[in-house]
Amino acid sequence: MARSSMGRNPSICLTILSAIAAVSATCYLPNGNDRNEGFPNATYYPVHPDEDVSMCCSKLGDKPRDDGLCANSDNSVIWRESCTDRTWQSPKCIKLCADSSEDTNNTPGQGRQEDNDEQVTPCADGSYCCGDGSLGYDCCSQGRGVFVRDGTTQKANPTATSSSAASSQTPLAVSTTTATAAGVTTSSTAGTTPSLPTPSSSQAKSKNNAGAIAGGVVGGLAALCLIIAALYLLFLRRRRKDRDAARGMDGIPPMGGNPRGIHEAQGSYQEDYKRSELQAGRLERAAGRTELDSKLQYGRADKAAGRTELDAA
């Protein structure tokens, strides 16, 4: 009965054969060729058959890895194999060592990378190099590995890039107050703000040196101004002394005049002279103290600059 039914319904045989062919044609190389062509038992199978697109591994001793690649039983040999997307445009197809212009294992005569399963070498920094043995290890040691992200390869480490972007921002709490019929409600939300750069030791040193120079200049100018003022007052005192002396000589009455007036004029002159000398002495002492303060300020600035250089070292 079964044989006669099959004979009367050849479409059933065609359907079964088509299903078998469809199953065996689910894995494709980067060049679009069926990876199971020539393998009647569908050697290559989707690692995630329930997903719309999946990488494939071989049933002959290979096992899938978490990164989508395939490895042997002891994980010593790693391969980039085929994908269920014939166009290889899906991000789930790992386009690693799938170049149409590069030789397999960098060896002429073995075909292009897109025509074969390609052996890869994982590097310590998370990147991958094409080839095995010394070829892959040399590539890793020279930093020529590539990183895989969303099925494509890139030179920059995506983990390092995202970490640096996250560290450049610090959380900032923003508080908002809302007035309602029942009362006042205060809420706090978290935001981000760029972190401010911290001054380097060289910048701190230059600022300290600038402060020391500015302090010394100001102190020196103040001392100079006081010295000039003292000299000017001394000049005025001598000029007044000469003028008063001349007036005293002119104002002396002739013999037989009033001697009391002569003594009073001389006493007034002596008092003015003493006051002028006292004021000039005070100015000279103030100028000396200012000069001493300026020297002390220079010394303190030099010590601060020395401590800054020691801290920087």
Side-chain angles (χ1 to χ4, degrees):
M1 292 291 293
R3 292 177 62 185
S4 60
S5 176
M6 291 288 289
R8 289 193 299 268
N9 296 287
S11 59
I12 296 177
C13 297
L14 294 176
T15 302
I16 294 173
L17 293 174
S18 299
I20 295 173
V23 171
S24 64
T26 53
C27 296
Y28 302 94
L29 290 168
N31 62 4
N33 292 340
D34 178 12
R35 189 65 183 93
N36 281 312
E37 184 177 355
F39 296 94
N41 296 325
T43 302
Y44 291 86
Y45 68 97
V47 174
H48 303 288
D50 297 334
E51 297 183 2
D52 55 343
V53 177
S54 171
M55 290 295 290
C56 298
C57 287
S58 174
K59 296 178 181 179
L60 304 178
D62 287 352
K63 62 178 182 180
R65 289 164 46 99
D66 294 337
D67 55 7
L69 303 176
C70 306
N72 61 351
S73 58
D74 60 356
N75 206 40
S76 61
V77 181
I78 302 174
W79 300 85
R80 184 276 303 149
E81 299 193 1
S82 50
C83 182
T84 58
D85 181 9
R86 190 164 196 165
T87 64
W88 274 67
Q89 297 301 313
S90 172
K92 295 182 180 180
C93 294
I94 302 176
K95 305 166 189 65
L96 175 64
C97 305
D99 199 332
S100 61
S101 60
E102 297 291 336
D103 293 322
T104 294
N105 209 22
N106 288 342
T107 304
Q110 295 187 6
R112 301 296 184 182
Q113 292 179 351
E114 66 171 2
D115 302 330
N116 299 284
D117 296 338
E118 187 72 14
Q119 190 170 344
V120 299
T121 298
C123 303
D125 59 354
S127 62
Y128 298 90
C129 281
C130 301
D132 61 335
S134 60
L135 185 67
Y137 294 133
D138 291 344
C139 170
C140 289
S141 63
Q142 296 171 7
R144 294 188 287 109
V146 294
F147 296 88
V148 178
R149 184 174 185 179
D150 296 332
T152 59
T153 58
Q154 61 184 39
K155 292 295 294 182
N157 189 342
T159 304
T161 304
S162 59
S163 299
S164 61
S167 63
S168 64
Q169 293 183 342
T170 55
L172 173 66
V174 180
S175 178
T176 58
T177 303
T178 305
T180 61
V184 178
T185 303
T186 302
S187 61
S188 179
T189 58
T192 58
T193 183
S195 60
L196 298 177
T198 57
S200 61
S201 59
S202 60
Q203 292 175 338
K205 178 181 177 181
S206 62
K207 290 182 179 180
N208 291 333
N209 292 338
I213 294 173
V217 171
V218 172
L221 290 176
L224 180 62
C225 291
L226 288 175
I227 292 172
I228 293 175
L231 292 175
Y232 180 70
L233 289 176
L234 182 62
F235 169 75
L236 291 179
R237 185 186 67 178
R238 290 181 178 177
R239 183 177 180 183
R240 183 182 301 172
K241 178 181 177 181
D242 295 340
R243 185 172 61 250
D244 291 342
R247 288 180 179 177
M249 293 298 296
D250 294 340
I252 296 176
M255 295 299 294
N258 186 6
R260 182 179 178 181
I262 296 174
H263 290 298
E264 289 179 352
Q266 291 178 348
S268 176
Y269 167 75
Q270 290 177 354
E271 290 179 356
D272 292 341
Y273 179 76
K274 290 179 180 179
R275 282 197 296 270
S276 298
E277 285 187 343
L278 181 61
Q279 187 173 6
R282 290 174 180 174
L283 287 175
E284 289 177 356
R285 287 194 296 271
R289 285 196 298 271
T290 302
E291 184 176 2
L292 180 60
D293 291 341
S294 177
K295 291 181 180 180
L296 290 175
Q297 190 171 5
Y298 269 117
R300 291 170 183 170
D302 291 339
K303 289 182 180 178
R307 285 196 297 271
T308 302
E309 293 179 355
L310 182 59
D311 293 338

PDB file of all heavy atoms in Angstrom, residues 295-309:
ATOM      1  N   LYS A 295      62.243  92.096  51.548  1.00  0.00           N
ATOM      2  CA  LYS A 295      63.215  91.006  51.516  1.00  0.00           C
ATOM      3  C   LYS A 295      62.641  89.738  52.132  1.00  0.00           C
ATOM      4  O   LYS A 295      62.848  88.630  51.637  1.00  0.00           O
ATOM      5  CB  LYS A 295      64.476  91.419  52.266  1.00  0.00           C
ATOM      6  CG  LYS A 295      65.273  92.505  51.548  1.00  0.00           C
ATOM      7  CD  LYS A 295      66.523  92.864  52.335  1.00  0.00           C
ATOM      8  CE  LYS A 295      67.347  93.947  51.625  1.00  0.00           C
ATOM      9  NZ  LYS A 295      68.555  94.298  52.375  1.00  0.00           N
ATOM     10  N   LEU A 296      61.897  89.885  53.236  1.00  0.00           N
ATOM     11  CA  LEU A 296      61.257  88.711  53.854  1.00  0.00           C
ATOM     12  C   LEU A 296      60.256  88.078  52.908  1.00  0.00           C
ATOM     13  O   LEU A 296      60.157  86.851  52.811  1.00  0.00           O
ATOM     14  CB  LEU A 296      60.558  89.132  55.161  1.00  0.00           C
ATOM     15  CG  LEU A 296      61.482  89.507  56.330  1.00  0.00           C
ATOM     16  CD1 LEU A 296      60.657  90.015  57.505  1.00  0.00           C
ATOM     17  CD2 LEU A 296      62.325  88.302  56.752  1.00  0.00           C
ATOM     18  N   GLN A 297      59.505  88.926  52.187  1.00  0.00           N
ATOM     19  CA  GLN A 297      58.512  88.384  51.247  1.00  0.00           C
ATOM     20  C   GLN A 297      59.181  87.642  50.098  1.00  0.00           C
ATOM     21  O   GLN A 297      58.735  86.597  49.665  1.00  0.00           O
ATOM     22  CB  GLN A 297      57.647  89.527  50.698  1.00  0.00           C
ATOM     23  CG  GLN A 297      56.436  89.034  49.893  1.00  0.00           C
ATOM     24  CD  GLN A 297      55.488  90.166  49.565  1.00  0.00           C
ATOM     25  OE1 GLN A 297      55.784  91.306  49.858  1.00  0.00           O
ATOM     26  NE2 GLN A 297      54.373  89.841  48.971  1.00  0.00           N
ATOM     27  N   TYR A 298      60.333  88.183  49.627  1.00  0.00           N
ATOM     28  CA  TYR A 298      61.104  87.465  48.588  1.00  0.00           C
ATOM     29  C   TYR A 298      61.553  86.116  49.109  1.00  0.00           C
ATOM     30  O   TYR A 298      61.495  85.092  48.425  1.00  0.00           O
ATOM     31  CB  TYR A 298      62.313  88.299  48.177  1.00  0.00           C
ATOM     32  CG  TYR A 298      62.062  89.226  47.034  1.00  0.00           C
ATOM     33  CD1 TYR A 298      62.152  90.604  47.177  1.00  0.00           C
ATOM     34  CD2 TYR A 298      61.724  88.705  45.770  1.00  0.00           C
ATOM     35  CE1 TYR A 298      61.911  91.459  46.118  1.00  0.00           C
ATOM     36  CE2 TYR A 298      61.490  89.566  44.716  1.00  0.00           C
ATOM     37  CZ  TYR A 298      61.592  90.935  44.898  1.00  0.00           C
ATOM     38  OH  TYR A 298      61.371  91.769  43.847  1.00  0.00           O
ATOM     39  N   GLY A 299      62.039  86.081  50.360  1.00  0.00           N
ATOM     40  CA  GLY A 299      62.518  84.821  50.930  1.00  0.00           C
ATOM     41  C   GLY A 299      61.403  83.809  51.065  1.00  0.00           C
ATOM     42  O   GLY A 299      61.560  82.630  50.750  1.00  0.00           O
ATOM     43  N   ARG A 300      60.224  84.258  51.530  1.00  0.00           N
ATOM     44  CA  ARG A 300      59.093  83.334  51.650  1.00  0.00           C
ATOM     45  C   ARG A 300      58.659  82.797  50.284  1.00  0.00           C
ATOM     46  O   ARG A 300      58.304  81.625  50.145  1.00  0.00           O
ATOM     47  CB  ARG A 300      57.920  84.037  52.320  1.00  0.00           C
ATOM     48  CG  ARG A 300      58.186  84.352  53.795  1.00  0.00           C
ATOM     49  CD  ARG A 300      57.117  85.258  54.361  1.00  0.00           C
ATOM     50  NE  ARG A 300      57.398  85.629  55.744  1.00  0.00           N
ATOM     51  CZ  ARG A 300      56.718  86.568  56.411  1.00  0.00           C
ATOM     52  NH1 ARG A 300      55.717  87.213  55.816  1.00  0.00           N
ATOM     53  NH2 ARG A 300      57.036  86.844  57.662  1.00  0.00           N
ATOM     54  N   ALA A 301      58.644  83.662  49.272  1.00  0.00           N
ATOM     55  CA  ALA A 301      58.252  83.226  47.924  1.00  0.00           C
ATOM     56  C   ALA A 301      59.231  82.193  47.396  1.00  0.00           C
ATOM     57  O   ALA A 301      58.844  81.199  46.783  1.00  0.00           O
ATOM     58  CB  ALA A 301      58.174  84.430  46.987  1.00  0.00           C
ATOM     59  N   ASP A 302      60.551  82.410  47.645  1.00  0.00           N
ATOM     60  CA  ASP A 302      61.535  81.423  47.187  1.00  0.00           C
ATOM     61  C   ASP A 302      61.343  80.089  47.880  1.00  0.00           C
ATOM     62  O   ASP A 302      61.458  79.025  47.280  1.00  0.00           O
ATOM     63  CB  ASP A 302      62.953  81.944  47.448  1.00  0.00           C
ATOM     64  CG  ASP A 302      63.289  83.121  46.539  1.00  0.00           C
ATOM     65  OD1 ASP A 302      62.633  83.248  45.490  1.00  0.00           O
ATOM     66  OD2 ASP A 302      64.197  83.906  46.867  1.00  0.00           O
ATOM     67  N   LYS A 303      61.045  80.124  49.217  1.00  0.00           N
ATOM     68  CA  LYS A 303      60.809  78.866  49.928  1.00  0.00           C
ATOM     69  C   LYS A 303      59.582  78.153  49.405  1.00  0.00           C
ATOM     70  O   LYS A 303      59.565  76.940  49.245  1.00  0.00           O
ATOM     71  CB  LYS A 303      60.640  79.162  51.421  1.00  0.00           C
ATOM     72  CG  LYS A 303      61.929  79.588  52.116  1.00  0.00           C
ATOM     73  CD  LYS A 303      61.710  79.818  53.604  1.00  0.00           C
ATOM     74  CE  LYS A 303      62.995  80.241  54.322  1.00  0.00           C
ATOM     75  NZ  LYS A 303      62.766  80.495  55.747  1.00  0.00           N
ATOM     76  N   ALA A 304      58.486  78.906  49.102  1.00  0.00           N
ATOM     77  CA  ALA A 304      57.272  78.282  48.551  1.00  0.00           C
ATOM     78  C   ALA A 304      57.540  77.652  47.204  1.00  0.00           C
ATOM     79  O   ALA A 304      57.074  76.548  46.899  1.00  0.00           O
ATOM     80  CB  ALA A 304      56.161  79.345  48.444  1.00  0.00           C
ATOM     81  N   ALA A 305      58.321  78.349  46.369  1.00  0.00           N
ATOM     82  CA  ALA A 305      58.658  77.770  45.056  1.00  0.00           C
ATOM     83  C   ALA A 305      59.492  76.517  45.217  1.00  0.00           C
ATOM     84  O   ALA A 305      59.324  75.529  44.493  1.00  0.00           O
ATOM     85  CB  ALA A 305      59.388  78.799  44.202  1.00  0.00           C
ATOM     86  N   GLY A 306      60.421  76.503  46.200  1.00  0.00           N
ATOM     87  CA  GLY A 306      61.231  75.314  46.439  1.00  0.00           C
ATOM     88  C   GLY A 306      60.390  74.134  46.883  1.00  0.00           C
ATOM     89  O   GLY A 306      60.580  73.007  46.456  1.00  0.00           O
ATOM     90  N   ARG A 307      59.420  74.398  47.815  1.00  0.00           N
ATOM     91  CA  ARG A 307      58.554  73.305  48.250  1.00  0.00           C
ATOM     92  C   ARG A 307      57.704  72.784  47.095  1.00  0.00           C
ATOM     93  O   ARG A 307      57.468  71.591  46.987  1.00  0.00           O
ATOM     94  CB  ARG A 307      57.646  73.821  49.376  1.00  0.00           C
ATOM     95  CG  ARG A 307      58.364  73.989  50.717  1.00  0.00           C
ATOM     96  CD  ARG A 307      57.349  74.100  51.833  1.00  0.00           C
ATOM     97  NE  ARG A 307      56.497  75.290  51.681  1.00  0.00           N
ATOM     98  CZ  ARG A 307      56.803  76.470  52.182  1.00  0.00           C
ATOM     99  NH1 ARG A 307      57.914  76.658  52.870  1.00  0.00           N
ATOM    100  NH2 ARG A 307      55.976  77.474  52.022  1.00  0.00           N
ATOM    101  N   THR A 308      57.248  73.659  46.211  1.00  0.00           N
ATOM    102  CA  THR A 308      56.436  73.212  45.067  1.00  0.00           C
ATOM    103  C   THR A 308      57.250  72.325  44.129  1.00  0.00           C
ATOM    104  O   THR A 308      56.779  71.309  43.635  1.00  0.00           O
ATOM    105  CB  THR A 308      55.910  74.417  44.304  1.00  0.00           C
ATOM    106  OG1 THR A 308      55.144  75.228  45.195  1.00  0.00           O
ATOM    107  CG2 THR A 308      55.014  73.970  43.153  1.00  0.00           C
ATOM    108  N   GLU A 309      58.530  72.732  43.886  1.00  0.00           N
ATOM    109  CA  GLU A 309      59.381  71.896  43.023  1.00  0.00           C
ATOM    110  C   GLU A 309      59.653  70.542  43.662  1.00  0.00           C
ATOM    111  O   GLU A 309      59.694  69.506  42.996  1.00  0.00           O
ATOM    112  CB  GLU A 309      60.693  72.618  42.746  1.00  0.00           C
ATOM    113  CG  GLU A 309      60.523  73.871  41.889  1.00  0.00           C
ATOM    114  CD  GLU A 309      61.867  74.565  41.668  1.00  0.00           C
ATOM    115  OE1 GLU A 309      62.872  74.117  42.261  1.00  0.00           O
ATOM    116  OE2 GLU A 309      61.915  75.551  40.925  1.00  0.00           O
TER     117      GLU A 309
END
